[in-house]
Amino acid sequence: ADNIAGAYIQAGKSSQGELPNTGLIVGTRTDIATNDYVGVSFTGNVAAPERCRAAIGAKSINGPSGMDLVFMTRNAADGTQLGSADTKMTIADAGEVGIGTIDPGAYDNEGDNLVVYDATTPGITIATSTTTSRGSLLFADGTTGNEKYRGGVIYDHGTGMGGIADTMYLRAAIHSYLVLDPTGKVGIGDKSPQ
């Protein structure tokens, strides 16, 4: 039956904060060359594995000594292999994350931790299912007290921050210095612009 696991993998464990070289190891028998890929592919038809339409893999960026983690997908019944153009997300060896780009580290180093790219209309949505909550993009310089939210862009769907629903706030040094309410009124240093 299709709902029965095809394989079980027993992995090792380490109390030293390391990932041991046991369990499933995906690699090559010889050193991998720069820009080569190795990984695990997924197909809906094992009789036609050349039509894999999703994969999780590693792309060599410096032979065997440096690798980016890549996530690939494609929706096409053309029988071709997945390739670099099918990469939808990359976690670079230095830790940068790219969605829609294979090289997030190529962008300005003050903004390359997360790069979202699209050739026409890139975007990020912060969504909620209630009309009484807030969505936030916060800037922190620590993890205690107000260090967690020193600056930010906040959209209040409800009335919790300033008493007016659907209001945008720009925060600096924990204070909301710029407010845009749903009627277009702007408040500077005033949470309820008149």
Side-chain angles (χ1 to χ4, degrees):
D2 284 342
N3 61 352
I4 298 194
Y8 291 94
I9 300 167
Q10 181 173 340
K13 62 180 181 177
S14 170
S15 60
Q16 306 301 314
E18 301 170 341
L19 185 62
N21 288 328
T22 59
L24 174 65
I25 299 172
V26 178
T28 61
R29 291 189 176 269
T30 59
D31 283 350
I32 191 168
T34 299
N35 293 323
D36 280 353
Y37 292 83
V38 62
V40 178
S41 297
F42 304 93
T43 181
N45 181 355
V46 294
E50 75 278 1
R51 295 189 177 137
C52 293
R53 288 297 166 249
I56 300 170
K59 175 189 175 188
S60 172
I61 59 163
N62 187 18
S65 62
M67 293 191 162
D68 292 345
L69 182 62
V70 296
F71 298 82
M72 297 176 165
T73 60
R74 183 190 303 174
N75 183 5
D78 57 10
T80 58
Q81 295 282 356
L82 290 168
S84 62
D86 300 309
T87 301
K88 302 303 188 286
M89 186 169 88
T90 300
I91 302 174
D93 73 322
E96 304 99 346
V97 176
I99 299 173
T101 177
I102 61 171
D103 192 6
Y107 292 84
D108 186 85
N109 66 359
E110 290 191 11
D112 66 352
N113 297 100
L114 173 62
V115 176
V116 177
Y117 173 84
D118 186 83
T120 56
T121 54
I124 298 174
T125 299
I126 299 173
T128 181
S129 61
T130 69
T131 58
T132 58
S133 61
R134 292 189 289 271
S136 302
L137 175 62
L138 300 177
F139 302 90
D141 55 18
T143 58
T144 59
N146 64 28
E147 294 172 343
K148 298 183 281 188
Y149 52 86
R150 296 294 295 169
V153 179
I154 299 106
Y155 187 85
D156 190 358
H157 297 270
T159 58
M161 284 189 67
I164 303 172
D166 293 320
T167 300
M168 180 78 71
Y169 298 87
L170 183 62
R171 176 185 283 168
I174 74 165
H175 301 289
S176 296
Y177 286 113
L178 184 63
V179 178
L180 175 63
D181 81 5
T183 66
K185 294 177 185 165
V186 176
I188 299 176
D190 182 359
K191 286 187 178 181
S192 300
Q194 303 299 318

